[in-house]
Amino acid sequence: MPQTPIQKTMFAEIADSSLYTMAQKFINEYTAEIFERNVFPSEDALKNLEFFEESLPINGASSSRILNQLHQYGSPATTAQIGGRYFGFVNGGIVPAGLFAKILSSIWDQNTAMQIISPLSSKLEKVVENWLRELFNLPKNVVSGFVSGTSMGTFCGIAAARYRILKNQGHDINEDGLAKAPSIRVIASVEAHSTVIKAICLLGLGKNNVEWVDTDEQGRIKVDEIPKLDSNSILILQAGNVNSGSFDFFSSICSKAKEDGAWIHIDGAFGLWAGTSKNLSHLTRGIEKASSWSVDGHKTLNTPYDSGIILCADKEALVSSLHMSGGYLILGEERDGMFLTPEMSRRSRIIELWATIKSLGKNGIDEMIYEMHMRTKQFASELSHMGFEILNEVVFNQCVVFFQSNEKTEQILKYIQNERVCWCGGSTWKGKNVIRISVCSWATTDKDVKQSVESFQRAKLKVVGTSF
Ligand SMILES: *Cc1c(COP(=O)(O)O)cnc(C)c1O
């Protein structure tokens, strides 16, 4: 059989064990230092990113050269996401089994659109769907779609809601569109995550049509200020405020909203997992009455990116709102994942999600999630002893920190970020500039918190000076 030069190279490379060995060697070098090294890349490492600036290659490079370049200039320029001192945004670490499953399954390159394309992925999606229902204590009729993150999960949930509400009034959104559709009410708190707003915009519901509800001092929707709901209403609630980590009062809100016929969507990106820990499960009590939930694997569960989930109690609405059709489609008997997601082709992120849950088990998830909470409490307690103000009730894994004034807080944050021992982001909370700590990795130990608190201490001394 004739082979082109490129084919010859690629056939040789894909079976070349020395390349796999090289990748493994680089992985070993990385993991040997990443838990100790500074979290944010050094100035030198950032400067060396210049080596990636090149014009379009006319002739190709060998895989070994590419791996070498990535290791030499890429590895040092990564943020230590898998270590224990990254507290920015709500970025999770990586559970080893998920990592290894990802490494192994990379060679399979499965597409999880249809059962006929990847029977394995279809099977694992089915299995994990059952596990998730049990973990979150959700009703039997709840189905799941495995998407790229909570942004997409929320989009799917609201799309399903839009389909159902209109369908109930005899209007098919797919056939007839939005132009002459009956109006839909959207009720959300002023603390709704920006990705909720994005979904509202993408789905043509419009920000200005949202009935915004005020929140209390922890960022929870004010129960008494939720307007009277009806069967045209989509109520969006939150399990885990992105700053304070607070949870809406699901028990009282959901029963009532359900009686009124509203669709309830819960954005539980990182917070839904609190429900899997015995000591924290009070936070999510009542969520089972909702209609749809969006949640991430890649935050608190510590799967690799990108892994999000839409859970929905109305399968027909979810499938109809994301429907795909085409003569060439071969429907599987068990599960064709693409009917439950907006995309057709998708990588099999389910393999890593399955491996992560299997490796931890229900008890391991409980332990891991609770430990994140305990380390957050440690942060709050040590920082407040040092004169920092903790502005939130630390109910889960988020800690909002302030020091004397907006300016000083900002200066302290800058110092901490430049020092690189840990990494925290900034935010605004109730009109104040704050430092946000999110403990979201299995790898965070009390020593990591101690080391990070010391960085806060040095920053404080720098800012207030010795006269303090
Ligand atoms: C992170 C987050 C999102 C967005 O999730 P992605 O996985 O980044 O798409 C939505 N809501 C909340 C509360 C979040 O913390």
Side-chain angles (χ1 to χ4, degrees), residues 399-417:
C399 187
V400 180
V401 186
F402 183 74
F403 187 77
Q404 292 183 353
S405 70
N406 281 345
E407 295 67 34
K408 283 181 187 163
T409 305
E410 257 178 67
Q411 285 166 1
I412 286 175
L413 176 60
K414 261 212 182 82
Y415 180 94
I416 292 167
Q417 288 179 344

Side-chain angles (χ1 to χ4, degrees), residues 26 30 41-57 61-79:
F26 293 161
Y30 190 76
S42 67
E43 288 303 327
D44 280 349
L46 293 175
K47 179 147 191 324
N48 282 342
L49 287 173
E50 280 172 7
F51 285 99
F52 289 100
E53 280 171 29
E54 56 177 331
S55 50
L56 172 69
S62 70
S63 291
S64 78
R65 208 176 127 197
I66 288 166
L67 285 183
N68 268 302
Q69 183 181 355
L70 278 175
H71 186 54
Q72 190 174 356
Y73 301 118
S75 299
T78 58
T79 47

Side-chain angles (χ1 to χ4, degrees), residues 137-245:
N137 204 13
L138 299 177
K140 288 264 178 294
N141 60 334
V142 169
V143 295
S144 56
F146 298 95
V147 291
S148 55
T150 291
S151 305
M152 196 41 78
T154 300
F155 173 85
C156 295
I158 301 177
R162 185 182 73 166
Y163 176 89
R164 173 54 67 214
I165 287 171
L166 294 178
K167 190 71 179 172
N168 283 348
Q169 298 184 56
H171 186 92
D172 186 323
I173 180 74
N174 295 325
E175 299 297 331
D176 303 323
L178 266 184
K180 292 183 183 141
S183 67
I184 295 175
R185 295 174 61 200
V186 180
I187 298 89
S189 90
V190 293
E191 283 283 335
H193 194 266
S194 61
T195 55
V196 167
I197 297 167
K198 182 190 289 197
I200 288 168
C201 296
L202 284 170
L203 288 161
L205 298 171
K207 264 191 279 191
N208 288 341
N209 298 316
V210 176
E211 298 169 44
W212 299 105
V213 183
D214 205 5
T215 52
D216 66 15
E217 76 293 345
Q218 297 299 324
R220 297 169 293 214
I221 195 167
K222 283 186 175 164
V223 181
D224 297 340
E225 296 190 14
I226 298 175
K228 172 83 182 145
L229 304 172
D230 55 34
S231 56
N232 287 344
S233 309
I234 306 173
L235 173 66
I236 299 169
L237 300 176
Q238 195 168 57
N241 178 288
V242 82
N243 287 312
S244 71

Side-chain angles (χ1 to χ4, degrees), residues 238-280:
Q238 195 168 57
N241 178 288
V242 82
N243 287 312
S244 71
S246 69
F247 293 69
D248 288 337
F249 295 106
F250 303 113
S251 285
S252 50
I253 300 171
C254 293
S255 306
K256 176 87 176 45
K258 199 170 177 178
E259 267 168 40
D260 293 337
W263 181 291
I264 307 164
H265 178 83
I266 297 179
D267 171 7
F270 64 94
L272 214 63
W273 293 101
T276 64
S277 173
K278 278 185 291 296
N279 293 325
L280 300 172

